[in-house]
Amino acid sequence: MRLTKYAAAAAAFGVVLTGCSSEAGQQAAEQEADSSASVNTEASFEAGTTMAELNEAGTITIGTKYDQPGFGLLNPDGVPEGFDVEIAKIVAGELGIAAEDITWTETVSANREPFIQNGQVDLVVATYTINDTRKQSVDFAGPYYVAGQDIMVAAGNPEGIEGPDDLAGKTVCSVEGSTPAQNIRDNYPQANLITYDVYSKCADDLTNGNVQAVTTDNVILTGLVAGNPEGFELVGNPFTEEPYGIGLALGDQEFRDFVNDVLEESFEDGRWAEAWDRTAGAITGESAPEPPTIDRY
Amino acid sequence: MQFISDNSDLLWSAFLTTLSLAVLSGLVALVLGTVLAAMRVSPMLPLRGLATFFVETFRNTPLTVVFFFLVFGIVQLDLQFPSRFTAAVAALGLYTSAFVCEAVRSGINAVPPGQAEAARALGLGFGQTLTTVVLPQAFRTVVPPLGNVWIALAKNTSIAAGFATTELTAALQRLTNVNGNQILLVFAVIIAAYLVITLPSAWAIRVIERKVAIVR
């Protein structure tokens, strides 16, 4: 008697379990449909190329940031989300690799070059600015987006700040140790710079009126403005250019050409704009900008 | 080593900021902590209660939270410190005073009760007993714990780096970004700067401890 009771309970539990799993399966399917990256199952490549190797292996390791809202942010399930992640999925898809077969690795600013050089990652898509110093140790495909340092002010722009030159004599906030803060110190020494450890404190100080402006890359500022549209506004006059590229091993010309071709395709067929709208665009509320021009240096 | 001479101004001003943060908030903590300890041993219940409440509040709140409250929280009450530096001194001073109070109170408890009884028998009031008989003896026994509190305070000043005060830790953050190829050297310089403050302190504490020790 007791045994049958347990059996019944176990059976009931089983039903609950299968109910759950099918639901989860459905959810995964929906998410899949959401993604702009379709898998090109017919992809085939010349033997001996990096593309053929990855296609053969059916998996790819991609480095991205885990802490950049809109670009690469780890969601509660432990999967990164954002514009960088979508771009990476598009490239992987063209290699015949499904999104769930991508191995994600967190790359922070300091370890991107070493990870590529040591072969720990195949690609890095991590708000990775293309510059000449970095070109000496890695190759870049792209750019797939051009960010720039901009200024955020209180709504209505009471101080009339239109660009970095108007910061003279004003108190401007940024994050200690960041490139935008160093740019203000080096090139706009008339501005009174104060630095916190995170941008949210800068935003608090702008609300309190202790600082008249906050400055960093526009993609970060748009996220802050979106969080408090009544309190803040973006000056919208970027004064540096930060072209974001996809980092890969130095000298792998075929792989770089392939990634560039994929990016150009995605610019033309709308997958790029769609990826933007669903990630960074969803935060800023602005539609996708004009895609940048690929730089085949 | 090039970056040291290139950034000597930054390093020197950061060092002075750390030192003045520690000294000023240390003085605040010493005075306030002693007053709090006197309140905690006083015969008046409201004073005891108030001091206990204060000490338990600041002793059991993370220092970062105290900073956050004094920099961003009190704005909601339309209050504001004149500068981020004064806010940092206040946060460090209030927080550390709770620890000073407990150290001094333990010293007061270590003074044999006969001392206070004799003072009362001679007709001294509570205040006179405390300031002329009990506290002078109490301070002599609490030099080592107060030394601990001081060294902890000197290191706690690094929290101010996150609140717009350019002290040594903020300088560390800035220099590691610009000198990515010499990170270990940057660390060594900053750690050495902290040691310049804390090592002589440890030595001075030992000297004072020997000088003022009570031979019983």
Side-chain angles (χ1 to χ4, degrees):
Chain A
M1 188 60 212
R2 184 166 286 180
L3 201 69
T4 45
K5 210 154 87 185
Y6 280 134
F13 189 56
V15 169
V16 172
L17 268 187
T18 44
C20 280
S21 65
S22 68
E23 215 167 272
Q26 226 165 24
Q27 236 167 30
E30 272 166 26
Q31 261 170 12
E32 200 47 51
D34 249 12
S35 178
S36 48
S38 57
V39 179
N40 183 357
T41 45
E42 275 144 41
S44 74
F45 303 96
E46 208 175 309
T49 59
T50 311
M51 292 84 84
E53 273 172 42
L54 292 168
N55 178 257
E56 189 84 358
T59 176
I60 184 170
T61 308
I62 298 177
T64 190
K65 287 196 176 170
Y66 283 6
D67 60 352
Q68 295 277 314
F71 277 75
L73 182 70
L74 208 63
N75 71 12
D77 301 332
V79 186
E81 287 176 346
F83 187 57
D84 282 347
V85 173
E86 290 305 316
I87 293 291
K89 284 180 187 169
I90 290 173
V91 175
E94 291 298 327
L95 286 165
I97 299 166
E100 59 267 25
D101 292 329
I102 300 173
T103 309
W104 299 104
T105 301
E106 181 178 17
T107 46
V108 299
S109 297
N111 69 14
R112 291 177 296 200
E113 284 99 312
F115 273 26
I116 294 172
Q117 286 173 316
N118 302 340
Q120 277 164 279
V121 294
D122 298 306
L123 291 174
V124 166
V125 196
T127 62
Y128 200 2
T129 301
I130 304 173
N131 68 30
D132 289 341
T133 323
R134 288 171 181 165
K135 277 180 188 172
Q136 289 170 10
S137 33
V138 299
D139 269 349
F140 285 102
Y144 59 92
Y145 182 75
V146 180
Q149 186 173 352
D150 207 334
I151 299 166
M152 181 174 84
V153 294
N157 200 353
E159 302 282 337
I161 295 167
E162 299 299 335
D165 293 318
D166 296 334
L167 293 174
K170 305 280 194 314
T171 305
V172 56
C173 187
S174 195
V175 161
E176 187 58 84
S178 69
T179 310
Q182 200 55 44
N183 182 32
I184 293 290
R185 258 181 222 118
D186 292 343
N187 299 321
Y188 306 97
Q190 308 264 291
N192 174 22
L193 178 75
I194 73 161
T195 49
Y196 286 104
D197 52 350
V198 289
Y199 290 108
S200 55
K201 288 181 186 167
C202 283
D204 282 347
D205 247 4
L206 185 58
T207 310
N208 297 344
N210 281 326
V211 301
Q212 283 94 49
V214 178
T215 183
T216 183
D217 285 2
N218 51 1
V219 289
I220 297 173
L221 292 178
T222 43
L224 292 171
V225 172
N228 184 0
E230 284 92 48
F232 305 138
E233 72 176 57
L234 195 67
V235 168
N237 177 16
F239 51 96
T240 63
E241 280 206 349
E242 308 286 341
Y244 290 167
I246 298 181
L248 46 91
L250 190 64
D252 196 344
Q253 189 63 39
E254 283 159 335
F255 194 28
R256 183 149 72 101
D257 286 341
F258 167 78
V259 176
N260 277 331
D261 291 343
V262 171
L263 286 176
E264 262 174 4
E265 260 173 57
S266 74
F267 292 172
E268 279 157 26
D269 64 17
R271 277 182 298 169
W272 181 85
E274 197 201 319
W276 173 269
D277 289 342
R278 207 150 22 76
T279 55
I283 293 180
T284 63
E286 280 169 39
S287 57
E290 274 295 298
T293 315
I294 296 289
D295 174 22
R296 293 174 193 263
Y297 61 89
Chain B
M1 290 308 264
Q2 179 66 31
F3 85 95
I4 297 179
S5 52
D6 286 350
N7 296 289
S8 56
D9 286 350
L10 168 67
L11 285 168
W12 179 241
S13 76
F15 174 77
L16 288 184
T17 306
T18 293
L19 187 63
S20 44
L21 267 181
V23 169
L24 290 176
S25 50
L27 288 175
V28 170
L30 191 62
V31 172
L32 186 58
T34 309
V35 171
L36 285 168
M39 285 166 71
R40 287 202 74 172
V41 297
S42 85
M44 289 170 70
L45 185 63
L47 283 185
R48 282 210 304 275
L50 193 66
T52 307
F53 175 75
F54 181 96
V55 166
E56 294 305 343
T57 304
F58 281 100
R59 192 169 61 159
N60 296 303
T61 310
L63 181 54
T64 314
V65 175
V66 176
F67 261 96
F68 226 107
F69 179 73
L70 292 187
V71 172
F72 297 114
I74 60 169
V75 176
Q76 305 297 319
L77 312 171
D78 263 337
L79 293 171
Q80 187 99 257
F81 281 94
S83 73
R84 290 287 172 260
F85 181 82
T86 39
V89 169
L92 287 163
L94 289 172
Y95 177 82
T96 310
S97 69
F99 294 91
V100 170
C101 166
E102 290 306 273
V104 171
R105 197 166 64 92
S106 77
I108 293 174
N109 290 339
V111 176
Q115 297 282 322
E117 284 164 12
R120 298 304 288 271
L122 289 172
L124 301 184
F126 172 77
Q128 283 172 306
T129 306
L130 201 62
T131 52
T132 60
V133 177
V134 176
L135 275 181
Q137 299 184 64
F139 268 115
R140 286 162 179 250
T141 61
V142 295
V143 170
L146 281 185
N148 275 343
V149 171
W150 159 253
I151 288 173
L153 168 64
K155 295 184 293 181
N156 282 342
T157 55
S158 61
I159 305 279
F163 295 87
T165 306
T166 306
E167 43 65 81
L168 284 170
T169 302
L172 172 74
Q173 287 167 353
R174 191 183 306 176
L175 291 175
T176 48
N177 181 50
V178 189
N179 304 279
N181 50 346
Q182 304 180 78
I183 285 181
L184 289 181
L185 192 60
V186 176
F187 268 101
V189 168
I190 297 293
I191 291 170
Y194 274 108
L195 290 180
V196 166
I197 298 175
T198 50
L199 281 184
S201 304
W203 172 78
I205 290 161
R206 265 202 304 280
V207 170
I208 298 173
E209 188 188 341
R210 269 204 305 274
K211 282 231 150 118
V212 302
I214 306 170
V215 185
R216 287 213 167 97

Short mmCIF file of all heavy atoms in Angstrom, two decimals, chain B residues 1 11 35 38 51 77-78 81-82 186 188 190:
data_model
loop_
_atom_site.label_atom_id
_atom_site.label_comp_id
_atom_site.label_asym_id
_atom_site.label_seq_id
_atom_site.Cartn_x
_atom_site.Cartn_y
_atom_site.Cartn_z
N MET B 1 61.12 52.66 -14.65
CA MET B 1 61.11 53.63 -13.54
C MET B 1 60.74 55.02 -14.04
O MET B 1 60.46 55.92 -13.27
CB MET B 1 62.50 53.69 -12.87
CG MET B 1 62.85 52.43 -12.09
SD MET B 1 61.59 51.94 -10.90
CE MET B 1 62.23 52.66 -9.40
N LEU B 11 51.86 61.35 -7.69
CA LEU B 11 52.19 60.45 -6.58
C LEU B 11 52.34 61.22 -5.27
O LEU B 11 51.84 60.80 -4.23
CB LEU B 11 53.48 59.69 -6.90
CG LEU B 11 53.32 58.56 -7.92
CD1 LEU B 11 54.67 58.08 -8.39
CD2 LEU B 11 52.52 57.42 -7.31
N VAL B 35 35.11 60.80 24.00
CA VAL B 35 33.84 61.33 24.54
C VAL B 35 32.80 60.22 24.62
O VAL B 35 32.09 60.08 25.62
CB VAL B 35 33.34 62.50 23.65
CG1 VAL B 35 31.94 62.92 24.07
CG2 VAL B 35 34.31 63.67 23.71
N ALA B 38 33.50 57.95 27.53
CA ALA B 38 33.07 58.58 28.78
C ALA B 38 31.56 58.48 28.94
O ALA B 38 31.05 58.20 30.03
CB ALA B 38 33.52 60.04 28.81
N ALA B 51 25.26 56.74 23.37
CA ALA B 51 26.60 56.34 22.94
C ALA B 51 26.60 54.91 22.44
O ALA B 51 27.23 54.59 21.43
CB ALA B 51 27.59 56.51 24.09
N LEU B 77 18.35 64.79 2.26
CA LEU B 77 17.93 65.60 3.40
C LEU B 77 18.35 67.05 3.20
O LEU B 77 18.37 67.84 4.14
CB LEU B 77 18.55 65.06 4.69
CG LEU B 77 18.43 63.55 4.91
CD1 LEU B 77 19.29 63.12 6.10
CD2 LEU B 77 16.98 63.17 5.15
N ASP B 78 18.76 67.38 1.95
CA ASP B 78 19.21 68.73 1.62
C ASP B 78 20.47 69.14 2.39
O ASP B 78 20.67 70.31 2.69
CB ASP B 78 18.10 69.76 1.86
CG ASP B 78 17.38 70.05 0.55
OD1 ASP B 78 18.00 69.81 -0.50
OD2 ASP B 78 16.23 70.49 0.59
N PHE B 81 28.25 67.98 2.24
CA PHE B 81 29.56 68.40 2.73
C PHE B 81 30.18 69.38 1.73
O PHE B 81 29.94 69.27 0.53
CB PHE B 81 30.48 67.20 2.92
CG PHE B 81 30.22 66.45 4.18
CD1 PHE B 81 29.37 65.35 4.18
CD2 PHE B 81 30.79 66.86 5.37
CE1 PHE B 81 29.10 64.67 5.36
CE2 PHE B 81 30.54 66.18 6.54
CZ PHE B 81 29.68 65.08 6.54
N PRO B 82 31.00 70.34 2.22
CA PRO B 82 31.56 71.34 1.30
C PRO B 82 32.46 70.72 0.24
O PRO B 82 32.59 71.26 -0.85
CB PRO B 82 32.35 72.28 2.21
CG PRO B 82 32.50 71.56 3.50
CD PRO B 82 31.36 70.61 3.61
N VAL B 186 54.11 49.66 -10.71
CA VAL B 186 53.15 50.63 -10.18
C VAL B 186 52.65 50.16 -8.81
O VAL B 186 52.61 50.94 -7.85
CB VAL B 186 51.96 50.81 -11.15
CG1 VAL B 186 50.92 51.73 -10.55
CG2 VAL B 186 52.43 51.35 -12.50
N ALA B 188 54.18 48.20 -6.72
CA ALA B 188 55.27 48.29 -5.75
C ALA B 188 55.38 49.71 -5.21
O ALA B 188 55.54 49.91 -4.00
CB ALA B 188 56.57 47.86 -6.41
N ILE B 190 53.06 52.10 -5.07
CA ILE B 190 51.90 52.47 -4.24
C ILE B 190 51.98 51.77 -2.87
O ILE B 190 51.76 52.39 -1.82
CB ILE B 190 50.58 52.11 -4.95
CG1 ILE B 190 50.44 52.91 -6.25
CG2 ILE B 190 49.40 52.36 -4.03
CD1 ILE B 190 50.27 54.39 -6.09
#
